[in-house]
Amino acid sequence: MIRYSFQGLPFLLKYADMIDSPDSEIREENLKVSKKSSFRTKIFPGPKHSPVIYLQHGMSNRGIDDPRILTLAKHLKNTGATVYLPELTEVKGLEISDDTVPNIRSLFQEIVKREGQAISFLSASFSAGMGMVALSGKEEQKNLKSALLVGTYSDFADTLPFILSNYEVDPYAVHVLLYNYISKLRPKLSKLEEFYFEAALDNGLKRTGEAEKSSKLLKKLNEKERDFVYSVQSDPVFRMSLVEPILSVLPHNFILRNSPKNFLSDWKAPIALLHGSDDPVISPDESEQLFDSLGNGKGEWKVILRSKLITHGDHLPFYTQLGEIPKLAGLWGFFLKNSGL
């Protein structure tokens, strides 16, 4: 992997503001995938006949307006790619949904058709895992040049307890989980769905002080609702007791249909897996499990890196871990090279 460092280092230097990465032209349109479905999409146009990267945002309420993903798209465009950044309504709305896999697959197929060439895929967290499921079919594999999945999962059944066990480190994912399933877990505690949605937004949007909404909603909860909230906040045993109830209320076969580990038999495209060493949302062991389960194709077609330079959704200043830079550059170089850049 290190042999690709020369390819990836200029990209990382753009992130470090050591190489100029000017603002890009951005076109916005509704990308139609069928007569009934279209998706708001930002397009960063590269040079004529440039390689194409489908960049899928994660579970952020900012969607494709999130400055972090716009910065990434800009750097990819300035590396020579055309970048498509579509918005998934359910993901932006913090919904864990069966719609995400078919939506990603439809968008991928439409971008391939529109561009008339094989393309690459880049995403993080749950969107990355669902993207892996979506693109695991034989037809998608034919048109997938390269994939980079950051902080992704292998088995949703393993991810869920890990999220709940790390509430004190990063409560965001727990709030998202509870927003999705609290109405089925505790249907009589009717105000908790709104509370956990706003609590997730407080975390994700870094709302504090007067802007924070969950603290205001907390005062309006009844005694049983407040007791539930306080138990989640203070009692690790109580949090872990929610694992089985949540698993029991998932849609039928949700884990089977949405866990990447079940869709690896036809995977042939070059793939890079990047995971933060101390990721509190999804264990780096899950990327390791995916890596080990992927077949042994000819040549170097899969790489993996546990890095101290990234958390779950953000990277740390590069000067804090100088020894990590060559390895990280190698992984990015692998993805960029296989993408045709």
Side-chain angles (χ1 to χ4, degrees):
M1 183 170 66
I2 292 294
R3 66 191 175 96
Y4 294 99
S5 295
F6 181 78
Q7 190 82 17
L9 187 58
F11 176 80
L12 291 188
L13 292 177
K14 292 182 177 73
Y15 255 118
D17 293 324
M18 297 178 69
I19 290 181
D20 186 40
S21 188
D23 289 339
S24 169
E25 172 196 352
I26 305 174
R27 299 200 312 265
E28 185 170 318
E29 59 183 83
N30 287 323
L31 194 62
K32 283 191 173 184
V33 301
S34 68
K35 290 182 179 179
K36 294 183 179 180
S37 298
S38 64
F39 298 84
R40 178 185 173 222
T41 302
K42 291 183 187 251
I43 302 171
F44 294 68
K48 191 175 182 180
H49 305 306
S50 60
V52 178
I53 296 174
Y54 167 10
L55 175 60
Q56 184 57 63
H57 68 85
M59 200 163 276
S60 164
N61 191 249
R62 292 188 176 103
I64 61 174
D65 297 313
D66 191 321
R68 295 171 300 176
I69 202 161
L70 291 172
T71 296
L72 175 56
K74 178 183 75 170
H75 293 331
L76 290 168
K77 186 265 184 186
N78 288 333
T79 304
T82 291
V83 181
Y84 282 76
L85 176 57
E87 186 165 82
L88 298 180
T89 304
E90 76 281 2
V91 177
K92 180 181 178 181
L94 310 186
E95 296 176 18
I96 301 170
S97 171
D98 264 331
D99 293 337
T100 301
V101 166
N103 283 342
I104 291 175
R105 184 182 296 118
S106 295
L107 281 160
F108 178 85
Q109 292 169 344
E110 179 59 30
I111 296 168
V112 167
K113 178 182 176 182
R114 177 173 173 148
E115 292 290 333
Q117 61 173 300
I119 67 175
S120 295
F121 179 78
L122 168 57
S123 190
S125 192
F126 289 102
S127 293
M130 291 188 169
M132 191 172 191
V133 173
L135 305 184
S136 61
K138 291 182 180 179
E139 193 61 33
E140 287 73 32
Q141 286 291 296
K142 289 179 185 177
N143 290 308
L144 180 63
K145 293 180 75 172
S146 182
L148 171 53
L149 310 181
V150 183
T152 195
Y153 69 101
S154 173
D155 186 344
F156 191 78
D158 292 334
T159 305
L160 195 147
F162 185 82
I163 288 172
L164 288 165
S165 71
N166 281 281
Y167 176 85
E168 288 156 349
V169 182
D170 190 337
Y172 176 74
V174 175
H175 293 160
V176 170
L177 273 176
L178 291 175
Y179 160 62
N180 277 270
Y181 302 117
I182 193 63
S183 64
K184 294 180 179 179
L185 293 177
R186 300 287 194 277
K188 293 183 179 180
L189 307 183
S190 59
K191 295 179 183 177
L192 287 183
E193 184 173 305
E194 181 186 9
F195 171 81
Y196 280 115
F197 179 72
E198 294 299 343
L201 292 187
D202 286 342
N203 294 139
L205 300 176
K206 295 180 171 53
R207 298 190 307 210
T208 58
E210 281 301 310
E212 185 178 281
K213 293 187 178 181
S214 61
S215 57
K216 297 171 185 175
L217 289 173
L218 183 61
K219 298 175 182 177
K220 299 179 181 179
L221 301 180
N222 63 39
E223 183 177 356
K224 289 185 178 180
E225 290 164 341
R226 284 198 300 272
D227 286 345
F228 184 92
V229 171
Y230 293 144
S231 294
V232 169
Q233 291 175 340
S234 62
D235 188 346
V237 175
F238 179 80
R239 288 196 295 271
M240 296 310 293
S241 74
L242 298 175
V243 172
E244 288 304 322
I246 292 176
L247 290 174
S248 72
V249 300
L250 290 174
H252 181 63
N253 283 338
F254 180 89
I255 292 174
L256 176 66
R257 293 193 303 269
N258 292 282
S259 293
K261 75 167 193 173
N262 300 319
F263 296 88
L264 303 180
S265 59
D266 292 324
W267 193 278
K268 299 291 189 298
I271 183 169
L273 298 168
L274 173 61
H275 216 118
S277 299
D278 301 315
D279 188 331
V281 177
I282 299 174
S283 169
D285 291 344
E286 297 220 39
S287 284
E288 293 277 5
Q289 290 164 13
L290 281 178
F291 183 81
D292 292 340
S293 299
L294 285 162
N296 296 317
K298 296 179 181 178
E300 186 187 72
W301 67 284
K302 61 176 185 174
V303 297
I304 188 169
L305 175 64
R306 288 193 187 205
S307 178
K308 297 177 183 177
L309 267 172
I310 64 170
T311 56
H312 182 67
D314 298 291
H315 66 78
L316 301 174
F318 290 164
Y319 65 80
T320 62
Q321 300 287 342
L322 293 176
E324 295 284 300
I325 293 176
K327 294 181 287 184
L328 189 58
L331 181 131
W332 274 102
F334 172 89
F335 170 69
L336 296 171
K337 180 74 172 178
N338 282 292
S339 296
L341 293 164

